[in-house]
């Protein structure tokens, strides 16, 4: 910024340094009399060992200039220190780590503070982490306001916070994290974020105070006294208020990463979170659980925890995990004393006592299993946050029966207001069974949009994008838009995205309650991913008017057998399909179709549980560990098309006509989930004939399924034949991608179509555009160092980026830089691949060698390369001696890695190559197709100046 004369506004560079550089931060805290944990910074492992010896184990490693605790962790001995220290130094932008005394088990408390340029300060939110120190705040279960911290301590924390932001010199929002020892009263500041953070988003949604918006206004020169405040005039008089409790509960995806250890620590592992609002802690807590969309609607009977003995539960509680709250619930049911639970978990007595009261009430409810609950017991259960669904589950009766009994008592959700600060007459709403309704209803025509719930792998902000643009479109069309969602991280839960926001779980009970209150024209379910689709049939059966594609058509596309019949009737090629409800049926299907097969459960998103199997042994293993196989949810089996080119089409249909803005070509070949594969549009390797076939097949399918709205269809091309893989009559992850590359607002057009507009009356001419867009995915493998970062049919990415340029090669290069994996323009490339990949790897090797790269290869790959005229040096694998691949990576001698898994053919496990590439932050590729695209991108970047253009300028070139 300094080099190019760019002025920073708001937070200055020196303030960022004081907040992020561990040494300067410590010096700054000392200068204002705020204690930090005993610690010292270092740039080497040797230095870390010396510091740890002086402080005493255990110690915490905190890398400088990282987010989410990346690279950090607890070290209980010198071996762990060396491992975590090396990881942390590699992760830090400046190669610096802090070695800090452990405050494990202390209370972790956070404040969100806003300061203006004149030094005026306000505290937006006090957050209490219910998990004690030792669990990253992104993983920790927390509440706002603080529920067990006395006012005197809160005032001390506020005083320290104000000293800190003055010393750092922040203009805008700052998150400050403290550790408090309840036994001695000692307080230490752990770290600050002189910027908006995950906690800022939570604090904003919890309080109705838009921290990012206010920070931007302050950066632009306004003062707190210039910004309106609904209660006391202007924001300089702001104090936290609101007679409600907010709970944040994280969502994890350990099941997506075989070999991962479900253990929480200082390195964040959550992939999303839900936020709930209730009148009291119990109501908000239970609402948070059903907001997670993990198939759990209450705390009891999760997994097999209820079947375990107290001793077995005790062992599970020793280390923090994603299941800890559910294990505690069953431990309390089995009689574990609160004192003992506190000693094991360091979770405070008050929170454990609250949970114990829930357990005791649930035990009273269980006495009426199979019969009707007494009215007074149902009323108490609802006031304490028990959902209709969970009560039905534990009593063994339909949810509808509980709902009918509740409504017969006049027991309905009431709606309360969260007023928005810093804006005129703005608010959003939450439900409670513990207060009277205070939310007015207008007589305008309304449309409800059902959001996607918490981010998770397979369903994230891509779907939120579609919901948001639907809300904008509804406003333009004169409708009152009503948004239902519970994700604090997304734009759909910003107060000004929709006309009315209900911050609620996406469940039948909650959505029906809002629908009954607002009485909209109908509800849009196809934009929020799988979440709203999963409850669409129940909503429709309860009287909700589902707009757009019918529930029947949605279900038809999900039902593999019925869908296969339709595809056969349409005369569209499809890999031989089958379904199985048992191992015997699966083996029969395999015998009929022939291996390899791709297998997965039905009704899932993100390739959950999807695998490629090559023989009976693998199939038997898959069935034994499958998520759920029932007559209603059979296992889906398809012939796997090896080495096929995959592509997908996003389309809009009005039931008669179909509009296809573009076709996307996957860069990786078949076998990699579409959500994990890089892709390019327009395609670079699909013939014009196949392009026309893809369009024709899409039109046939959309028309036959009577799609009204969005549809995504995935295809494979093999041996000059186009095969359909699957069709999803809903929004897809790629709608934002297509919209941004082509300039076509697909969500806007789809919303109009769902309300009756016809494509024939719109501008749907075939767009041509001279630029390319490349989507690249972002993975959390650095958070799971124990996991092999190889790609497959089950999705693992947590985000994506887009590179745009006038050529495919430069667009791909840009996408790699954006994804945090900057490709080298020179250096040494390691290539070690399975024997079946050598021919394709040879092309990559030749390309890199011709640019002057040194090629390192393991014995088998090197022999093949030399036979085919590519010079290379042989490098040893780990089991072959030293120096080896890991030594070379550690010494920064390798700048590019292509390594495909050996799999069953290898005697020695080779995942350490891929894990080391992540550890040492070396660009790596696990498919030859991606490596070739990277090599082409490197050549283009070496030969061309990479320009920067706005998206709008690209759109102006669209014809």
């Amino acid at each position: 910024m300094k080099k190019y004369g760019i002025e920073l506004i708001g937070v200055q560079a020196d303030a960022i340094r004081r907040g992020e550089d561990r040494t300067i931060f410590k010096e700054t805290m000392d200068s204002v009399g705020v204690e930090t944990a005993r610690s010292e910074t270092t740039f080497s492992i040797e230095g870390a060992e010396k510091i740890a010896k002086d402080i005493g184990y255990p110690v915490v490693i905190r890398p400088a200039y990282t987010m989410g605790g990346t690279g950090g962790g607890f070290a209980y001995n010198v071996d762990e220190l060396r491992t975590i220290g090396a990881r942390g130094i590699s992760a830090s932008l400046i190669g610096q780590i802090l070695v800090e005394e452990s405050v494990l088990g202390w209370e972790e408390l956070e404040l969100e503070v806003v300061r203006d340029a004149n030094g005026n300060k306000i505290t937006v939110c006090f957050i209490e982490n219910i998990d004690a120190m030792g669990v990253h705040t992104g993983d920790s279960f927390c509440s706002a306001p603080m529920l067990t911290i006395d006012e005197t301590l809160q005032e001390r924390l506020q005083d320290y916070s104000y000293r800190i932001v003055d010393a750092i010199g922040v203009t805008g929002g700052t998150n400050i994290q403290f550790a408090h020892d309840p036994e001695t009263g000692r307080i230490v500041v752990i770290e600050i974020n002189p910027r908006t953070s995950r906690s800022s988003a939570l604090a904003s949604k919890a309080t109705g105070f838009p921290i990012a918006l206010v920070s931007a206004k302050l950066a632009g020169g306004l003062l707190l006294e210039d910004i309106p405040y609904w209660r006391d005039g202007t924001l300089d008089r702001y104090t936290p208020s609101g007679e409600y409790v907010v709970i944040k509960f994280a969502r994890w995806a350990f099941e997506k990463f075989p070999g991962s250890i479900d253990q929480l620590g200082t390195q964040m592992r959550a992939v999303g979170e839900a936020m709930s609002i209730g009148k009291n802690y119990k109501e908000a807590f239970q609402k948070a659980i059903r907001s997670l969309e993990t198939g759990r609607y209450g705390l009891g009977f999760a997994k097999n925890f209820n079947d375990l003995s107290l001793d077995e539960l005790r062992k599970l509680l020793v280390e923090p995990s994603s299941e800890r709250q559910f294990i505690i619930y069953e431990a309390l049911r089995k009689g574990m004393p609160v004192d003992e639970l506190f000693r094991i978990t360091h979770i405070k007595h008050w929170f454990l006592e609250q949970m114990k009261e829930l357990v005791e009430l649930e035990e009273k409810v269980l006495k009426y299993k199979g019969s009707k609950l007494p009215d007074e017991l149902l009323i108490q259960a609802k006031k304490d946050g028990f959902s209709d669904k969970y009560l039905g589950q534990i009593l063994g009766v339909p949810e509808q029966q509980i709902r009918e009994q509740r409504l017969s008592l006049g027991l309905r959700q009431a709606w309360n207001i969260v007023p928005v600060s810093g804006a005129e007459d703005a608010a959003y709403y939450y439900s409670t069974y513990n207060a009277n309704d205070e939310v007015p209803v207008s007589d305008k025509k309304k449309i409800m949009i059902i959001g996607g719930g918490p981010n998770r792998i397979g369903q994230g902000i891509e779907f939120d994008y579609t919901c948001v643009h639907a809300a904008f479109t509804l406003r333009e069309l004169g409708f009152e838009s009503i948004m239902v969602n519970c994700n604090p991280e997304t734009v759909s839960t910003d107060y000004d995205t929709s006309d009315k926001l209900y911050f609620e779980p996406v469940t039948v009970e909650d959505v029906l309650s809002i629908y009954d209150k607002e009485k909209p024209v109908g509800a849009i379910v196809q934009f929020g991913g799988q979440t709203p689709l999963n409850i669409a049939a129940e909503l429709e059966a309860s009287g909700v008017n589902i707009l757009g594609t019918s529930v029947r058509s949605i279900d038809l596309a999900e039902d593999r057998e019925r869908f296969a019949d339709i595809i056969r009737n349409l005369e569209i090629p499809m890999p031989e399909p089958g379904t199985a409800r048992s191992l015997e049926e699966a083996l029969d299907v395999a015998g009929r179709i022939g291996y390899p097969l791709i297998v997965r459960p039905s009704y899932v998103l993100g390739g959950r549980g999807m695998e490629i199997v090559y023989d009976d042994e693998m199939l038997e293993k898959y069935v034994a560990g499958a998520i759920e196989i029932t007559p209603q949810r059979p296992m889906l089996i398809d012939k796997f098309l090896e080495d096929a080119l995959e592509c997908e089409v996003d389309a809009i249909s009005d039931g008669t006509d179909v509009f296809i803005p573009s076709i996307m070509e996957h860069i990786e070949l078949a076998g990699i989930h579409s959500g994990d594969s890089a892709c390019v549009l327009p395609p670079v390797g699909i013939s014009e004939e196949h392009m026309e076939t893809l369009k024709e097949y899409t039109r046939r399918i959309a028309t036959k399924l009577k799609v009204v709205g969005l549809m995504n269809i995935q295809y494979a091309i093999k041996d000059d034949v186009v095969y359909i893989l699957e069709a999803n009559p809903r929004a897809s992850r790629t709608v934002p991608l297509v919209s941004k590359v082509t300039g076509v607002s697909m969500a806007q057009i789809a919303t109009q179509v769902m309300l009756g507009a016809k494509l024939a009356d719109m501008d749907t001419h075939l767009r041509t555009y001279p630029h390319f867009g490349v989507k690249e995915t972002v993975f959390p493998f650095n958070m799971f160092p124990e996991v092999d970062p190889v790609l497959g049919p089950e999705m693992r990415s947590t985000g994506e980026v887009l590179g745009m340029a006038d050529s495919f090669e430069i667009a791909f290069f840009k996408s790699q830089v954006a994804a945090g994996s900057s490709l080298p323009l020179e250096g040494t490339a390691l290539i070690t691949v399975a024997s079946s990949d050598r021919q394709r790897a040879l092309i990559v090797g030749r390309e890199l060698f011709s640019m002057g790269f040194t090629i390192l290869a393991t014995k088998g790959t090197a022999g093949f390369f030399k036979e085919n005229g590519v010079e290379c040096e042989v490098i040893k694998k780990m089991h072959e001696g030293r120096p080896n691949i890991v030594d070379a990576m550690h010494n920064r001698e390798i700048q590019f890695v292509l390594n495909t898994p050996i799999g069953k053919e290898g005697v020695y496990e080779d995942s350490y190559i891929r894990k080391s590439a992540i550890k040492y932050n070396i660009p790596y590729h696990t498919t030859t197709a991606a490596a070739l695209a990277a090599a082409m991108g490197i050549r283009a970047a070496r030969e061309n100046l990479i320009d920067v253009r706005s998206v709008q300028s690209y759109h102006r070139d669209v014809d």
Side-chain angles (χ1 to χ4, degrees):
M1 296 292 187
K2 187 176 180 181
K3 176 181 176 181
Y4 290 101
I6 297 170
E7 179 186 352
L8 291 178
I9 61 173
V11 182
Q12 299 299 306
D14 60 337
I16 295 170
R17 275 194 296 274
R18 284 192 290 272
E20 295 280 0
D21 185 292
R22 299 292 182 176
T23 302
I24 301 172
F25 175 68
K26 191 173 188 302
E27 291 169 354
T28 306
M29 295 304 98
D30 290 343
S31 72
V32 295
V34 177
E35 186 182 357
T36 55
R38 288 185 300 121
S39 60
E40 197 174 325
T41 55
T42 182
F43 293 87
S44 69
I45 299 300
E46 295 74 24
E49 289 182 28
K50 183 179 181 303
I51 298 164
K53 188 175 181 182
D54 292 341
I55 292 174
Y57 289 95
V59 293
V60 183
I61 308 299
R62 299 185 190 277
Y65 291 94
T66 61
M67 288 180 67
T70 301
F74 277 95
Y76 289 86
N77 55 54
V78 69
D79 289 337
E80 291 181 357
L81 179 79
R82 288 168 182 159
T83 300
I84 299 168
R87 188 173 75 208
I89 289 169
S90 178
S92 170
L93 281 176
I94 59 172
Q96 182 197 69
I97 56 172
L98 183 78
V99 183
E100 180 181 86
E101 72 168 306
S102 167
V103 289
L104 200 66
W106 292 21
E107 294 168 348
E108 185 160 16
L109 309 169
E110 298 179 66
L111 274 69
E112 287 287 335
V113 173
V114 171
R115 178 183 181 272
D116 68 18
N118 280 3
N120 300 304
K121 298 168 288 291
I122 56 174
T123 304
V124 174
C125 190
F126 294 82
I127 300 172
E128 179 172 4
N129 285 276
I130 296 165
D131 288 308
M133 285 295 300
V135 176
H136 188 277
T137 54
D139 287 336
S140 184
F141 164 38
C142 66
S143 73
M146 295 177 177
L147 298 175
T148 70
I149 306 301
D150 64 59
E151 284 190 23
T152 304
L153 177 54
Q154 291 189 46
E155 287 168 3
R156 279 180 69 195
L157 296 173
Q158 181 169 270
D159 173 52
Y160 289 168
S161 297
Y162 288 178
R163 289 192 227 169
I164 290 167
V165 294
D166 276 339
I168 298 292
V170 178
T171 298
T174 301
N175 169 257
I176 304 149
Q177 297 168 24
F178 294 98
H180 171 243
D181 185 351
E183 292 187 12
T184 65
R186 183 182 170 206
I187 298 173
V188 298
V189 60
I190 299 300
E191 66 178 5
I192 74 162
N193 293 303
R195 52 172 169 77
T196 51
S197 64
R198 274 179 311 279
S199 296
S200 305
L202 173 67
S204 296
K205 303 292 170 74
T207 60
F209 189 110
I211 294 172
L213 174 66
V214 171
S215 295
K217 289 182 177 182
L218 297 178
L222 293 182
L223 300 175
L224 288 169
E225 64 188 29
D226 300 322
I227 303 173
Y229 175 35
W230 63 273
R231 195 170 63 163
D232 291 319
T234 54
L235 278 185
D236 55 318
R237 297 187 179 94
Y238 175 89
T239 52
S241 62
E243 297 178 358
Y244 55 83
V245 174
V246 169
I247 294 294
K248 180 214 83 178
F249 208 101
R251 176 166 173 146
W252 296 269
F254 290 103
E255 74 281 356
K256 288 279 191 178
F257 300 94
S260 63
I261 301 166
D262 185 352
Q263 189 172 313
L264 306 181
T266 63
Q267 182 163 282
M268 181 178 167
R269 292 185 152 201
V271 297
E273 62 191 34
M275 187 188 102
S276 64
I277 313 175
K279 257 322 185 201
N280 57 46
Y281 172 73
K282 292 176 185 172
E283 184 174 59
F285 183 21
Q286 298 238 68
K287 194 187 281 190
I289 298 304
R290 73 174 186 267
S291 296
L292 291 172
E293 295 168 35
T294 55
R296 298 176 186 175
Y297 296 87
L299 285 154
F301 304 100
K303 289 191 173 176
N304 66 334
F305 302 141
N306 182 254
D307 300 326
L308 301 180
S309 69
L310 209 47
D311 279 344
E312 289 170 316
L313 293 171
R314 192 176 284 114
K315 288 173 186 172
L316 291 177
L317 287 170
V318 170
E319 295 287 352
S321 72
S322 68
E323 300 286 6
R324 181 182 251 186
Q325 299 302 321
F326 304 96
I327 298 167
I328 291 173
Y329 199 80
E330 296 303 340
L332 285 166
R333 196 198 301 271
K334 286 184 167 23
M336 186 179 286
V338 166
D339 282 344
E340 183 182 358
L341 278 167
F342 170 72
R343 284 195 301 274
I344 296 171
T345 66
H346 301 291
I347 294 173
K348 294 176 76 173
H349 286 76
W350 188 85
F351 296 109
L352 295 170
E353 291 287 358
Q354 291 281 299
M355 190 185 281
K356 185 180 179 185
E357 289 173 16
L358 290 176
V359 171
E360 290 168 350
L361 181 57
E362 183 171 313
E363 286 299 300
K364 290 179 184 176
V365 169
L366 284 167
K367 292 176 182 175
Y368 296 89
K369 191 163 187 175
S371 59
K372 182 184 175 185
L373 269 182
D375 292 346
E376 66 277 7
L377 194 54
L378 176 59
I379 292 168
Q380 185 57 52
K382 296 306 295 182
K383 287 180 178 292
D384 279 357
F386 284 89
S387 68
D388 291 353
K389 179 93 168 180
Y390 184 67
L391 290 171
Q393 286 175 338
I394 63 174
L395 289 170
V397 301
E399 176 184 0
Q400 187 176 352
Q401 184 176 317
I402 302 292
R403 182 163 62 245
E404 288 171 357
Q405 182 185 353
R406 171 171 61 78
L407 294 175
S408 73
L409 298 171
L411 189 59
R412 297 174 183 272
Q413 287 177 324
W415 300 94
N416 280 199
I417 295 172
V418 178
V420 174
S421 302
E424 301 280 1
D425 300 320
Y428 46 93
Y429 315 107
Y430 68 95
S431 69
T432 180
Y433 286 96
N434 290 284
N436 295 321
D437 198 309
E438 59 185 29
V439 176
V441 174
S442 77
D443 57 2
K444 297 177 183 176
K445 291 178 71 176
K446 307 161 192 169
I447 302 289
M448 176 188 282
I449 303 168
I450 305 178
N455 287 355
R456 81 293 304 262
I457 291 176
Q459 186 171 306
I461 56 172
E462 310 95 327
F463 293 98
D464 197 73
Y465 165 95
T466 314
C467 292
V468 167
H469 281 264
F472 294 161
T473 304
L474 290 173
R475 187 175 294 166
E476 291 172 8
L477 295 174
F479 288 89
E480 184 176 294
S481 60
I482 298 168
M483 186 74 70
V484 183
N485 206 357
C486 58
N487 187 341
E489 304 174 294
T490 54
V491 180
S492 68
T493 54
D494 283 353
Y495 72 90
D496 56 352
T497 294
S498 53
D499 295 307
K500 289 184 93 168
L501 165 64
Y502 285 89
F503 217 112
E504 290 294 304
V506 183
T507 69
V508 173
E509 175 181 349
D510 300 286
V511 172
L512 276 182
S513 179
I514 300 164
Y515 193 88
D516 184 57
K517 177 182 175 65
E518 292 285 353
K519 296 180 171 51
V521 173
I524 296 175
V525 299
Q526 62 172 265
F527 289 169
Q530 198 66 36
T531 299
L533 295 185
N534 287 341
I535 61 171
E538 286 182 79
L539 293 176
E540 187 176 61
S542 299
V544 173
N545 177 31
I546 304 298
L547 298 174
T549 308
S550 69
V551 172
R552 181 180 174 278
S553 289
I554 293 167
D555 189 57
L556 192 59
E558 289 279 7
D559 187 315
R560 205 62 173 171
E561 292 174 337
R562 291 161 64 203
F563 182 68
D565 288 340
I566 287 173
I567 295 302
R568 276 191 287 267
N569 290 336
L570 291 174
E571 298 182 345
I572 296 173
M574 183 180 190
E576 187 68 24
T579 57
R581 294 163 179 82
S582 66
L583 174 59
E584 292 71 25
E585 287 186 19
L587 290 169
D588 285 345
V589 172
R592 174 171 56 83
I593 296 176
Y595 292 103
L597 302 171
I598 191 155
V599 293
R600 66 181 173 93
S602 48
Y603 297 94
V604 295
L605 199 67
R608 176 73 187 97
M610 189 181 288
E611 286 185 24
I612 299 168
V613 299
Y614 289 90
D615 52 41
D616 286 356
E617 181 187 345
M618 289 183 73
L619 184 58
E620 288 169 12
K621 184 179 176 183
Y622 176 85
V623 173
I627 310 164
E628 181 185 24
I629 298 174
T630 66
Q632 292 74 34
R633 291 177 175 264
M635 182 170 73
L636 308 181
I637 303 174
D638 295 290
K639 179 72 175 177
F640 174 55
L641 303 175
E642 281 191 290
D643 295 335
L645 183 152
E646 284 201 18
C647 52
E648 55 188 301
V649 179
D650 276 316
I652 305 165
S653 173
D654 61 9
T656 304
D657 295 320
V658 179
F659 175 39
I660 301 169
S662 186
I663 293 171
M664 291 152 284
E665 176 185 345
H666 291 193
I667 290 169
E668 284 85 2
L669 296 178
I672 308 299
H673 189 278
S674 61
D676 285 350
S677 178
C679 76
V680 58
L681 65 156
V684 295
I686 302 177
S687 69
E688 194 59 43
E689 180 186 353
H690 286 152
M691 294 273 281
E692 290 304 316
T693 301
L694 290 166
K695 292 173 188 175
E696 174 57 26
Y697 287 175
T698 300
R699 291 188 190 97
R700 286 190 213 169
I701 295 166
T703 306
K704 184 66 177 179
L705 289 179
K706 297 183 175 64
V707 170
V708 178
L710 292 168
M711 182 170 208
N712 172 270
I713 305 181
Q714 295 178 28
Y715 296 96
I717 303 172
K718 183 177 171 66
D719 299 331
D720 213 31
V721 177
V722 175
Y723 296 87
I724 181 174
L725 299 180
E726 63 177 54
N728 296 297
R730 55 162 170 77
S732 71
R733 279 177 297 275
T734 47
V735 164
L737 171 69
V738 174
S739 299
K740 286 169 183 176
V741 175
T742 66
V744 174
S745 179
M746 294 191 70
Q748 180 184 54
I749 296 172
T751 303
Q752 293 170 338
V753 160
M754 293 166 74
L755 295 175
K758 290 297 180 183
L759 290 172
D761 300 325
M762 301 183 197
D763 178 12
T764 58
H765 77 275
L766 181 63
R767 268 64 168 180
T768 58
Y769 40 100
H771 56 270
F772 293 82
V774 172
K775 177 207 82 173
E776 184 53 283
T777 43
V778 178
F779 298 91
F781 290 123
N782 59 323
M783 298 295 188
F784 297 90
E786 70 273 24
V787 171
D788 185 357
V790 70
L791 304 183
E794 177 154 356
M795 186 174 168
R796 292 174 160 198
S797 62
T798 51
E800 59 193 35
V801 296
L802 171 63
M804 292 176 70
D806 294 331
S807 73
F808 161 65
E809 294 81 5
I810 293 292
F812 185 87
F813 187 89
K814 279 186 174 182
S815 75
Q816 302 307 293
V817 175
S821 181
S822 296
L823 295 172
L825 299 182
E826 58 185 10
T828 298
L830 168 69
I831 301 179
T832 171
V833 297
S835 57
S836 56
D837 292 319
R838 286 176 186 164
Q839 191 65 49
R840 286 188 289 261
L842 181 65
I843 303 169
V844 179
R846 281 192 180 128
E847 184 74 5
L848 292 171
F849 183 74
S850 70
M851 288 185 276
F853 276 79
T854 299
I855 308 296
L856 293 181
T858 49
K859 190 163 57 179
T861 304
F864 183 81
F865 275 26
K866 287 175 181 177
E867 287 172 13
N868 288 276
V870 175
E871 289 183 33
C872 59
E873 299 174 19
V874 178
I875 188 168
K876 293 175 181 175
K877 292 186 176 181
M878 270 182 70
H879 67 273
E880 294 172 342
R882 310 284 291 270
N884 56 39
I885 289 172
V886 176
D887 295 320
M889 288 188 182
H890 179 79
N891 295 334
R892 311 291 177 184
E893 296 167 2
I894 294 172
Q895 286 73 47
F896 180 100
V897 174
L898 166 56
N899 171 232
T900 63
I902 292 173
K904 281 191 165 187
E905 67 183 64
V907 177
Y908 297 97
E909 197 263 349
D910 63 347
S911 68
Y912 68 88
I913 300 171
R914 301 178 286 278
K915 293 175 184 175
S916 295
I918 289 173
K919 180 179 179 180
Y920 296 111
N921 203 21
I922 303 168
Y924 74 98
H925 302 277
T926 60
T927 68
T928 54
L932 180 58
M936 292 163 65
I938 290 169
R939 181 177 291 282
R942 284 162 58 104
E943 296 173 355
N944 300 277
L945 180 68
I946 297 179
D947 67 333
V948 176
R949 291 176 60 188
S950 68
V951 171
Q952 290 83 352
S953 74
Y954 283 114
H955 289 174
R956 282 194 289 272
D957 293 340
V958 175
D959 186 10

